[in-house]
Every structure is written in structure tokens, then in C-alpha cells.
Amino acid sequence: MTLAIPGNFMPRTAVRNVFSSGAERGARASTPLSSRSAARDLGVSPEGRSRPGAGARSLAALGMTAIFATLCALCCLSSHAADIRDDRGVTVHLAAPPQRIVSLLPSLTETVCALGACARLVGTDRFSNFPPEVQALPKAGGLDDASVERIVALKPDLVLAAGSTRAIARLESLGLTVAALEPHDMADAHRVLDAVATLLQVPGADAVWSRIRQRTDAAVARVPAGWRGKRAYFEVDAGPYAAGTSSFIGELLRHLGLGNIVPAELGPFPKLNPEFVVRARPDVVMGGERDVDQMAARPGWSDMAALRAHRVCRFGRGQADVIVRPGPRLGEAAELVADCLARLDPPT
Amino acid sequence: MIAPEAARARRRLAFALTLASVVLAVAGVMVGSEGWRPGALADPGLRDVLWNIRAPRTVGAWLVGALLGLAGALAQGLFRNPLADPYLLGSSSGAGLGVVLVLAAGATQGRAIESLAEDALARLGLVGAAFVGALIGVALTLALARGARQSTGLLLAGVVVGVVLGALADLVTMASPEALRGKQVFMLGTTGFLGWGACGTLAIALAITLPAAWRFSRALDALTLGEDSARSLGLPLGPVRALLVVLLALATGAAVAQAGLIAFVGLVAPHLVRRRLQAPHGTTLVASTAAGGVLLLASDVLSRGLWAPQELPVGVLTAALGGSFLLWLMHARRTS
């Protein structure tokens, strides 16, 4: 039906889908996470142990030694334990690296796999379909109807879920460790990547992120100069709902040097009056292929310059998955949009 | 004195409902995504699933259905209208608004200064917000209708409050799209997340509402003669009706807060009972309570079993089954 459907969650309505996958929240401000670098900081500091006991003559030195010894002991302990603060502000503590993970959000599934820990997944939600190896895993329902029984039976030592997953309280009351992480924008995607790496106690988050940056930068460079500053209309649902500047998709467009017909104050995914879109005269129209194909049939839309000149980016189902999930395929999403723009003649 | 035939019908119904409850309870413990096998109780993993997931879910589904059945019978008696359902007095839209407000407050946290009010809201939680919202919805309806003296006025006020609170909730979700998502998740009727804690709350709600409703059911009997006749019998109609409305709100609020909106159980259960039994309201209320429990538990077991290991949200199933049943009932009545 729309671009949003194959997104993060159960597609009861596409709008909801996109709202949840991209809506801006105070998450950035409210969740200072211990990042991977912080975890590194918790690692053993060698000077703590090698400190000689030469200062035993003075009490002060003795005190110092005691402090260092304690620190060292703490360090040794914490090298096997991980703590993060999740999106709810709850501290999630893992005494050992998790070996049986259930992920209930496609972007989290992709993040786990991007960190090379795909083999530790024992189950996912029904919408996780990438990378292909997760398709064979047991499916434990969606965001609304996560199957508590199935998840418990999978005996996970860590459940990764979106904050709006209804089952979280129930899963925790059954003794499972749940981390609520839900990326809404690029900064979130980075934060969540770091948080998942910390929880899994795997290295490589920095490498994954720099690969994403490389691909994004390459995509930016590929956008023809004629498209810089041109205004886009990105439809996430035939409501019509648009991707605003503060949404994840809006950020991507801005990054690629495009403007947006939606003013920033309208929020991440505003419902627009169809008249507004026509009047705003976008230079390029983007959206899911089925929505884009129907646009010319809407009253008054057929005369829209972008539609008449076929300056449209149609994204198929698989491509839409890439674009609407703020996960490790961010770079690929930027490339998809950039490649589309490269195929089109910019307006004069 | 009860005629022997009526007493027999009553005994038969009581037996059938008890038997169905017991059979379904056993089925409820046996059906689920992880299946059942002989010697399941010896397997600690499965035992955990049976005891901590299926058992509370089974009990909880029965209790939610029972509360809805009771609320439905109360509503139909109060309004002397067989199409009245528990959500008629604005409780569902009130619950929806409560949930949305808490979610929106949660979403703005971090942006706004963390105020005491927000903190209190967070602690109240979604379940509490839904419950309080449902009660406020009904209170508004009562206030708008100036008490519960007139059933038409009450009905009209309920519709107005429902629409207005629904619109307010929509307004909040426009500003805070996160809340829309959360509200939909929360209000979707499902029994999948009921734990022992929820069962306790539901049981308390039922323990309060059922005896009280039974105690004042005579007013409903009097009401069947018409409002004027009821008044001429010397019943303090206004206060008793207000009390019954409060019981209705309590039962519905508790059910909605724990399991979201579950369609048709409250509407169908009293019909089911009345088809088998011509009895005073006290009996009908109790029987509808049990029938509601049986209906929702049956739907729950079906929703778990039909597509296992996947499951259907039970609200979808009750809407489909209850809707068809109601159509059939109307058809049967017309042809007879």
C-alpha cells in the first residue's frame, strides 16, 4: 500500500508504522547512553595493577594503593559485565555477553547482524527479513502482538525491543532481560548501534558506523550538482503524510543536499492537505511505488510539474525496507535516493 | 417462588457454563505456541510457560470476559435496550484519552522540564490511566445528563462524551504521533499480556462489582415496567441508577485497562443468557458474567490455537464471532 508498510513493524496502518519508526522524540536529550567508548573506559587500566607498594611508609600512599586495588578489582569485574541505559531510562545489566538474543525490531535485528553477532539471534519479530539468514529464525509476533509464550520458550538471555512494544513489562515480570531501544533518526541509529555493541560486548561499532558514513558521503558526492537545493516531497503514506525535515527520511534528504516542501514546524510526519503539496510545487516527488503511481489520478495533481516531467523516485518493497529502517543500512538508503536523483534531469 | 421449569432451565445453564469454564480452562493451559506434550509438567521450561503464561492468561481472559458480560447486562438493563454495550457511556474513549495523555507526556519528557505532574503520570502508568480515563468518561456523561434519571438523556450524553473525548485524543495524537502508535497498541484488544498481577486486579474488580450489582438488581427489574412505574414503586431510582452506572464503569474500566477494547463480548453475553432463561435481573447478571467469561476464554483459546504458533489478537476474533452471532440472532428473531 505504501512505502511505510515494509518498515519496522506490523502494518496495521502505514502511518502508524512510519510514525513509530521515525517520529522524533526527546530520546536524544533524555538518554545519555554509555557508549562503546565508555565501555572501553571501564576496561582494565594497566597502571592500576603495576603501581608499586613503595609508598607503604606513608598512610596516604597506603590509601592510594587500596583505592587502586579496588579500582582494579572493579575493572576486572566489569570487563565481563555490560550496563546501558535504554530508551526508558532503565539500566540494563548483563553479567556476561548474551548468547541467546531475541530481537523484536527489524532495525535492531540488522544492527545485531551488522556487528557480526547474527549467530547469537535465536528469534525475531515477524518483520525482520534482513539479512537473509534471519528469515529462518523462529518468529515471535509483531510489535502489538509479540508472543510472550514463544519468546519465553526461546530462553533468551537478552530481548531487544522497541520502547513501544507492549510485551516489555510482561517479559520483564517473567524474569527476562529486556533492552528497549528504538532508533528514530541518524543520531539515534548511531547511539543504538553503540548500545547494542556494548550489550553484546563485541567490538566493531566504530567500524560499522564509519562504513555507513563512507557510503553516505559517497552517495552525497553522487548527487548531480543541479539537484542541490531542489525541494522534494517524500510521501510516506497516501494520507497524504509527508516526511518532514525532522524525520529520519527528512534528515537523509537534507544530507543529500535537497530541500523539503514541508516546513520544519510541522513535525516529523505531518498529514498534509493535498492542496498544499500541489501549491508547494515540489521539484521531485518520492515515495513507495504504489503511492507514486496513483498520484497523477488525484484531483489537481496531474498538472504538477514534477509528475509531468517524471521527476519521481519510486521505491519498491525491498528498497523501502532500507529507507524506512534507521539501522545499519543507512548508507545504502542514501545511495538509493542519490542513484534515483542521478537518473533524473534536474529542473531548470 | 420460581416455577420448576424456570428452575430447571437455571440449573441447566449454570451447569453448562460451569462445565464450559472448566473444559476451556483445561484447554487454555494446553493450547499455545509451544504446544503440549504428555509429561509437560516434568519439563521445567514448559512448566514455567504453563504456570506463568498460560494459566494467568486463561484466568485473566475469563475474568475480563466476565467483567464485560456483567457490564453488558447492566447496560442493557439500565437502558432497557438490547443493543446497549459496556462502552456506551464514554468509558472506552475516556480510557483511550487517558492512555494518549500519558504517552504524550512521556514523549515530551526530556524536552519539557520534568515536572512533578509528569512524574506522577509516569508512575500511574498506562493501566491506571486507562482506568481513570474510563471513570472520568462516565462521570462526564453523568454530569452532562444531570444524573442518571433519564435513560435517553444518559444515552445521548454518552454518545456526545464518546465523540468529544475521541476527538480530543485524536488532537493529542496529531501533536504527538508517538502517542497514536502507543494508543493503538494499548487499545487493541488482547489477552496475551495478562499476568498474575493483572488477574488479581481483575478479580478484585469482579468481587466488588458483581455482589453490588446483584444487590441492586431489583431496580433493573422495576425498570422493565417503565420509568414511571418504577418510580411509583417507591424506588429511589436516581441514586440506584447512578450507583449501577458507577459499577458499570468500574467493571468496564478494569477490563479495558487490562485487555484493551474487546468488542461484542459485553453485547452478546446477555443475549445468550436471555435466550435460555427468563429470569429476574439478579440471575441474568450472574449468568451473563459467567457467559462473558466463557465467551472470551473460548475466543482466547481459539485465537491461540487456530494459527499456532502464531496467534490472532483476540479482539479481532470476538468482533468477527460476536458480530456474526448477533446477525444470526437478529435473523432468527425475525423469522420466528
Side-chain angles (χ1 to χ4, degrees), chain A residues 42 186 221 234 244 348:
Chain A
L42 284 172
M186 292 197 194
F234 195 114
T348 43

Side-chain angles (χ1 to χ4, degrees), chain A residues 9-276:
Chain A
F9 324 110
M10 175 174 181
R12 176 117 26 74
T13 74
V15 181
R16 266 175 53 198
N17 225 333
V18 160
F19 280 157
S20 49
S21 66
E24 181 195 63
R25 264 207 316 199
R28 262 170 300 170
S30 63
T31 45
L33 273 163
S34 59
S35 65
R36 244 198 86 251
S37 56
R40 255 202 316 271
D41 292 342
L42 284 172
V44 181
S45 50
E47 66 267 42
R49 218 172 313 173
S50 59
R51 201 86 176 171
R57 269 161 287 170
S58 74
L59 266 175
L62 202 73
M64 290 286 276
T65 316
I67 289 169
F68 272 114
T70 318
L71 266 179
C72 179
L74 275 175
C75 292
C76 294
L77 278 176
S78 57
S79 66
H80 296 296
D83 280 296
I84 64 146
R85 253 161 70 83
D86 73 359
D87 286 4
R88 299 167 294 167
V90 172
T91 303
V92 179
H93 174 79
L94 287 175
Q99 299 303 326
R100 297 182 63 81
I101 303 167
V102 169
S103 161
L104 296 177
L105 192 68
S107 59
L108 292 174
T109 307
E110 292 183 19
T111 303
V112 170
C113 289
L115 288 165
C118 227
R120 294 203 223 163
L121 285 171
V122 293
T124 69
D125 66 301
R126 94 168 65 88
F127 303 103
S128 287
N129 55 4
F130 187 87
E133 55 257 47
V134 304
Q135 286 167 12
L137 289 174
K139 299 294 177 200
L143 200 63
D144 300 348
D145 59 342
S147 165
V148 175
E149 178 170 330
R150 172 123 281 202
I151 295 167
V152 168
L154 289 170
K155 299 194 179 69
D157 46 14
L158 174 65
V159 178
L160 297 170
S164 47
T165 305
R166 179 144 171 212
I168 289 181
R170 189 77 187 98
L171 291 173
E172 283 184 328
S173 75
L174 290 165
L176 296 182
T177 306
V178 183
L181 296 166
E182 193 166 359
H184 293 285
D185 52 31
M186 292 197 194
D188 272 350
H190 192 184
R191 175 180 66 82
V192 167
L193 176 67
D194 280 343
V196 172
T198 306
L199 280 174
L200 268 54
Q201 298 177 42
V202 291
D206 292 341
V208 170
W209 189 251
S210 67
R211 261 200 308 281
I212 291 172
R213 288 304 297 263
Q214 276 167 17
R215 289 187 80 164
T216 313
D217 291 347
V220 171
R222 242 185 283 169
V223 176
W227 276 110
R228 306 256 173 233
K230 298 293 185 234
R231 290 152 66 253
Y233 166 59
F234 195 114
E235 185 169 288
V236 292
D237 183 74
Y241 285 84
T245 48
S246 57
S247 70
F248 163 67
I249 298 166
E251 274 186 328
L252 185 70
L253 298 178
R254 193 171 60 235
H255 209 70
L256 292 170
L258 288 176
N260 198 324
I261 64 159
V262 182
E265 61 268 22
L266 291 186
F269 293 104
K271 180 167 169 36
L272 299 176
N273 186 329
E275 185 184 305
F276 174 88

Side-chain angles (χ1 to χ4, degrees), chain B residues 239-288:
Chain B
V240 171
R241 200 139 64 169
L243 180 88
L244 289 174
V245 169
V246 170
L247 293 178
L248 165 64
L250 270 174
T252 317
V256 170
Q258 299 295 344
L261 282 184
I262 290 176
F264 279 113
V265 171
L267 186 62
V268 170
H271 283 283
L272 208 65
V273 168
R274 275 197 300 264
R275 267 183 77 82
R276 304 258 159 257
L277 194 70
Q278 294 298 323
H281 269 92
T283 313
T284 320
L285 284 175
V286 177
S288 299

Side-chain angles (χ1 to χ4, degrees), chain B residues 42-306:
Chain B
D43 173 356
L46 198 54
R47 195 168 54 211
D48 186 44
V49 165
L50 295 188
W51 174 245
N52 284 321
I53 298 174
R54 286 188 201 167
R57 181 180 176 160
T58 301
V59 174
W62 193 91
L63 286 169
V64 168
L67 283 167
L68 289 176
L70 172 65
L74 273 175
Q76 290 177 11
L78 269 170
F79 300 115
R80 285 176 292 146
N81 186 335
L83 280 177
D85 86 346
Y87 306 124
L88 208 63
L89 293 181
S91 49
S92 64
S93 45
L97 182 61
V99 168
V100 162
L101 283 175
V102 170
L103 288 169
T108 48
Q109 253 176 9
R111 260 184 250 159
I113 306 157
E114 280 178 24
S115 65
L116 252 175
E118 271 180 359
D119 206 14
L121 275 178
R123 241 177 294 145
L124 189 63
L126 293 181
V127 173
F131 183 66
V132 172
L135 293 194
I136 290 179
V138 176
L140 271 178
T141 303
L142 275 177
L144 210 65
R146 299 220 188 95
R149 278 193 310 269
Q150 266 213 323
S151 55
T152 328
L154 203 57
L155 215 59
L156 211 60
V159 172
V160 170
V161 166
V163 171
V164 171
L165 292 188
L168 279 178
D170 286 347
L171 200 67
V172 177
T173 54
M174 287 295 285
S176 176
E178 273 290 277
L180 173 66
R181 162 83 209 147
K183 178 194 162 198
Q184 270 158 332
V185 172
F186 190 84
M187 298 302 278
L188 172 80
T190 172
T191 41
F193 306 115
L194 293 170
W196 284 123
C199 287
T201 317
L202 289 165
I204 291 171
L206 190 63
I208 293 172
T209 49
L210 184 58
W214 161 276
R215 167 82 184 70
F216 291 99
S217 62
R218 293 280 303 277
L220 295 177
D221 293 332
L223 264 175
T224 51
L225 305 170
E227 310 219 341
D228 295 332
S229 312
R231 211 164 282 127
S232 70
L233 287 175
L235 275 171
L237 215 49
V240 171
R241 200 139 64 169
L243 180 88
L244 289 174
V245 169
V246 170
L247 293 178
L248 165 64
L250 270 174
T252 317
V256 170
Q258 299 295 344
L261 282 184
I262 290 176
F264 279 113
V265 171
L267 186 62
V268 170
H271 283 283
L272 208 65
V273 168
R274 275 197 300 264
R275 267 183 77 82
R276 304 258 159 257
L277 194 70
Q278 294 298 323
H281 269 92
T283 313
T284 320
L285 284 175
V286 177
S288 299
T289 305
V294 167
L295 274 177
L296 188 56
L297 181 53
S299 304
D300 181 47
V301 171
L302 273 180
S303 78
R304 286 188 253 165
L306 278 180

